[in-house]
Short mmCIF file of all heavy atoms in Angstrom, two decimals:
data_model
loop_
_atom_site.label_atom_id
_atom_site.label_comp_id
_atom_site.label_asym_id
_atom_site.label_seq_id
_atom_site.Cartn_x
_atom_site.Cartn_y
_atom_site.Cartn_z
N VAL A 1 0.85 -1.19 0.00
CA VAL A 1 -0.01 0.01 -0.01
C VAL A 1 0.88 1.23 -0.01
O VAL A 1 2.02 1.20 0.54
CB VAL A 1 -0.96 -0.01 1.24
CG1 VAL A 1 -0.18 0.04 2.53
CG2 VAL A 1 -2.00 1.07 1.13
N GLN A 2 0.41 2.31 -0.57
CA GLN A 2 1.15 3.58 -0.56
C GLN A 2 0.99 4.23 0.80
O GLN A 2 -0.01 4.05 1.51
CB GLN A 2 0.63 4.50 -1.64
CG GLN A 2 1.05 4.09 -3.05
CD GLN A 2 0.69 5.18 -4.07
OE1 GLN A 2 -0.29 5.94 -3.89
NE2 GLN A 2 1.45 5.25 -5.14
N ALA A 3 1.98 5.00 1.16
CA ALA A 3 1.89 5.77 2.39
C ALA A 3 0.61 6.64 2.39
O ALA A 3 0.28 7.22 1.37
CB ALA A 3 3.14 6.66 2.55
N GLY A 4 -0.06 6.64 3.50
CA GLY A 4 -1.34 7.32 3.62
C GLY A 4 -2.52 6.44 3.35
O GLY A 4 -3.66 6.85 3.63
N GLY A 5 -2.29 5.26 2.85
CA GLY A 5 -3.34 4.34 2.52
C GLY A 5 -3.79 3.50 3.72
O GLY A 5 -3.35 3.73 4.85
N SER A 6 -4.70 2.55 3.46
CA SER A 6 -5.28 1.75 4.50
C SER A 6 -5.26 0.27 4.13
O SER A 6 -5.27 -0.10 2.96
CB SER A 6 -6.75 2.15 4.74
OG SER A 6 -6.87 3.49 5.16
N LEU A 7 -5.22 -0.56 5.15
CA LEU A 7 -5.37 -1.99 5.03
C LEU A 7 -6.16 -2.51 6.23
O LEU A 7 -6.11 -1.87 7.31
CB LEU A 7 -4.01 -2.70 5.02
CG LEU A 7 -3.15 -2.67 3.76
CD1 LEU A 7 -1.80 -3.31 4.05
CD2 LEU A 7 -3.85 -3.40 2.61
N ARG A 8 -6.86 -3.59 6.02
CA ARG A 8 -7.49 -4.27 7.15
C ARG A 8 -6.96 -5.69 7.24
O ARG A 8 -7.16 -6.49 6.30
CB ARG A 8 -9.01 -4.28 7.05
CG ARG A 8 -9.67 -4.82 8.30
CD ARG A 8 -11.19 -4.77 8.29
NE ARG A 8 -11.77 -5.88 7.58
CZ ARG A 8 -13.02 -6.30 7.81
NH1 ARG A 8 -13.77 -5.73 8.73
NH2 ARG A 8 -13.49 -7.30 7.11
N LEU A 9 -6.35 -5.99 8.36
CA LEU A 9 -5.86 -7.35 8.61
C LEU A 9 -6.94 -8.14 9.35
O LEU A 9 -7.70 -7.59 10.17
CB LEU A 9 -4.59 -7.32 9.48
CG LEU A 9 -3.43 -6.49 8.94
CD1 LEU A 9 -2.22 -6.65 9.86
CD2 LEU A 9 -3.08 -6.81 7.53
N SER A 10 -7.00 -9.42 9.01
CA SER A 10 -7.90 -10.33 9.71
C SER A 10 -7.13 -11.45 10.35
O SER A 10 -6.06 -11.86 9.85
CB SER A 10 -8.94 -10.91 8.75
OG SER A 10 -9.75 -9.92 8.16
N CYS A 11 -7.64 -11.97 11.43
CA CYS A 11 -7.05 -13.13 12.14
C CYS A 11 -8.18 -14.10 12.39
O CYS A 11 -9.01 -13.83 13.28
CB CYS A 11 -6.39 -12.67 13.42
SG CYS A 11 -5.75 -14.01 14.44
N ALA A 12 -8.23 -15.18 11.65
CA ALA A 12 -9.25 -16.17 11.80
C ALA A 12 -8.77 -17.29 12.73
O ALA A 12 -7.66 -17.81 12.56
CB ALA A 12 -9.63 -16.76 10.44
N ALA A 13 -9.60 -17.66 13.66
CA ALA A 13 -9.27 -18.64 14.67
C ALA A 13 -10.08 -19.89 14.52
O ALA A 13 -11.29 -19.83 14.23
CB ALA A 13 -9.42 -18.10 16.08
N SER A 14 -9.45 -21.04 14.67
CA SER A 14 -10.16 -22.32 14.73
C SER A 14 -9.88 -22.93 16.10
O SER A 14 -8.91 -22.60 16.76
CB SER A 14 -9.75 -23.25 13.62
OG SER A 14 -8.34 -23.50 13.73
N GLY A 15 -10.76 -23.79 16.51
CA GLY A 15 -10.65 -24.34 17.85
C GLY A 15 -11.71 -23.74 18.77
O GLY A 15 -12.47 -22.84 18.35
N ARG A 16 -11.73 -24.19 19.98
CA ARG A 16 -12.77 -23.80 20.90
C ARG A 16 -12.38 -22.62 21.76
O ARG A 16 -11.23 -22.42 22.02
CB ARG A 16 -13.15 -24.99 21.79
CG ARG A 16 -13.62 -26.21 20.98
CD ARG A 16 -13.89 -27.37 21.89
NE ARG A 16 -14.98 -27.12 22.81
CZ ARG A 16 -15.43 -27.97 23.70
NH1 ARG A 16 -14.86 -29.14 23.81
NH2 ARG A 16 -16.45 -27.66 24.51
N GLY A 17 -13.41 -21.90 22.19
CA GLY A 17 -13.18 -20.92 23.22
C GLY A 17 -12.67 -19.59 22.77
O GLY A 17 -12.13 -18.82 23.62
N PHE A 18 -12.83 -19.24 21.49
CA PHE A 18 -12.27 -17.99 20.99
C PHE A 18 -12.73 -16.81 21.86
O PHE A 18 -11.94 -15.93 22.16
CB PHE A 18 -12.74 -17.78 19.56
CG PHE A 18 -12.27 -16.49 18.96
CD1 PHE A 18 -10.98 -16.35 18.44
CD2 PHE A 18 -13.12 -15.41 18.86
CE1 PHE A 18 -10.57 -15.15 17.89
CE2 PHE A 18 -12.71 -14.21 18.29
CZ PHE A 18 -11.41 -14.10 17.82
N SER A 19 -13.96 -16.76 22.22
CA SER A 19 -14.51 -15.61 22.96
C SER A 19 -13.87 -15.45 24.34
O SER A 19 -13.96 -14.37 24.96
CB SER A 19 -16.02 -15.71 23.08
OG SER A 19 -16.39 -16.82 23.88
N MET A 20 -13.22 -16.47 24.84
CA MET A 20 -12.65 -16.44 26.17
C MET A 20 -11.23 -15.88 26.19
O MET A 20 -10.69 -15.54 27.24
CB MET A 20 -12.60 -17.85 26.77
CG MET A 20 -13.91 -18.56 26.75
SD MET A 20 -15.10 -17.80 27.84
CE MET A 20 -14.44 -18.32 29.41
N TYR A 21 -10.65 -15.74 24.97
CA TYR A 21 -9.25 -15.35 24.89
C TYR A 21 -9.10 -13.82 24.77
O TYR A 21 -9.93 -13.15 24.16
CB TYR A 21 -8.59 -15.97 23.67
CG TYR A 21 -8.39 -17.45 23.77
CD1 TYR A 21 -9.36 -18.36 23.34
CD2 TYR A 21 -7.20 -17.97 24.29
CE1 TYR A 21 -9.15 -19.73 23.45
CE2 TYR A 21 -6.99 -19.33 24.39
CZ TYR A 21 -7.98 -20.21 23.96
OH TYR A 21 -7.77 -21.54 24.08
N ALA A 22 -8.04 -13.31 25.34
CA ALA A 22 -7.56 -11.99 24.96
C ALA A 22 -6.68 -12.15 23.71
O ALA A 22 -6.04 -13.18 23.52
CB ALA A 22 -6.77 -11.36 26.09
N LEU A 23 -6.66 -11.11 22.90
CA LEU A 23 -6.01 -11.20 21.62
C LEU A 23 -5.10 -10.04 21.40
O LEU A 23 -5.28 -8.96 21.98
CB LEU A 23 -7.07 -11.24 20.49
CG LEU A 23 -8.14 -12.31 20.63
CD1 LEU A 23 -9.29 -12.01 19.65
CD2 LEU A 23 -7.59 -13.68 20.34
N GLY A 24 -4.14 -10.19 20.53
CA GLY A 24 -3.25 -9.10 20.24
C GLY A 24 -2.67 -9.11 18.84
O GLY A 24 -2.66 -10.17 18.18
N TRP A 25 -2.18 -7.98 18.40
CA TRP A 25 -1.42 -7.84 17.16
C TRP A 25 -0.03 -7.36 17.52
O TRP A 25 0.13 -6.43 18.30
CB TRP A 25 -2.08 -6.82 16.23
CG TRP A 25 -3.32 -7.31 15.55
CD1 TRP A 25 -4.62 -7.02 15.92
CD2 TRP A 25 -3.42 -8.14 14.40
NE1 TRP A 25 -5.51 -7.65 15.07
CE2 TRP A 25 -4.78 -8.34 14.12
CE3 TRP A 25 -2.47 -8.75 13.58
CZ2 TRP A 25 -5.24 -9.12 13.04
CZ3 TRP A 25 -2.93 -9.51 12.49
CH2 TRP A 25 -4.29 -9.70 12.26
N PHE A 26 0.96 -8.02 16.91
CA PHE A 26 2.34 -7.64 17.07
C PHE A 26 2.98 -7.55 15.67
O PHE A 26 2.43 -8.09 14.69
CB PHE A 26 3.08 -8.69 17.91
CG PHE A 26 2.61 -8.75 19.31
CD1 PHE A 26 1.47 -9.45 19.67
CD2 PHE A 26 3.32 -8.11 20.32
CE1 PHE A 26 1.01 -9.50 20.98
CE2 PHE A 26 2.89 -8.16 21.64
CZ PHE A 26 1.73 -8.86 21.97
N ARG A 27 4.13 -6.95 15.61
CA ARG A 27 4.78 -6.89 14.30
C ARG A 27 6.30 -6.98 14.47
O ARG A 27 6.84 -6.73 15.53
CB ARG A 27 4.44 -5.57 13.59
CG ARG A 27 4.93 -4.29 14.24
CD ARG A 27 4.33 -3.05 13.57
NE ARG A 27 4.80 -1.82 14.16
CZ ARG A 27 4.34 -0.61 13.82
NH1 ARG A 27 3.35 -0.51 12.91
NH2 ARG A 27 4.82 0.48 14.40
N GLN A 28 6.90 -7.42 13.38
CA GLN A 28 8.34 -7.64 13.37
C GLN A 28 8.91 -7.02 12.10
O GLN A 28 8.53 -7.46 10.98
CB GLN A 28 8.66 -9.14 13.45
CG GLN A 28 10.08 -9.47 13.77
CD GLN A 28 10.18 -10.88 14.32
OE1 GLN A 28 9.47 -11.78 13.89
NE2 GLN A 28 11.00 -11.05 15.31
N ALA A 29 9.74 -6.06 12.25
CA ALA A 29 10.32 -5.36 11.08
C ALA A 29 11.36 -6.26 10.41
O ALA A 29 11.96 -7.12 11.06
CB ALA A 29 10.92 -4.03 11.53
#
């Protein structure tokens, strides 16, 4: 994407209990 633009990341989970978890996004340069 060009600077100033937008993206939407998604994280799809499989397995049980998704609503019980805390979640996070991290990045590595």
Side-chain angles (χ1 to χ4, degrees):
V1 64
Q2 287 189 330
S6 298
L7 282 175
R8 188 176 82 155
L9 305 183
S10 298
C11 174
S14 59
R16 299 177 65 179
F18 177 82
S19 64
M20 307 293 287
Y21 290 90
L23 306 167
W25 286 100
F26 293 82
R27 65 189 182 186
Q28 194 158 38

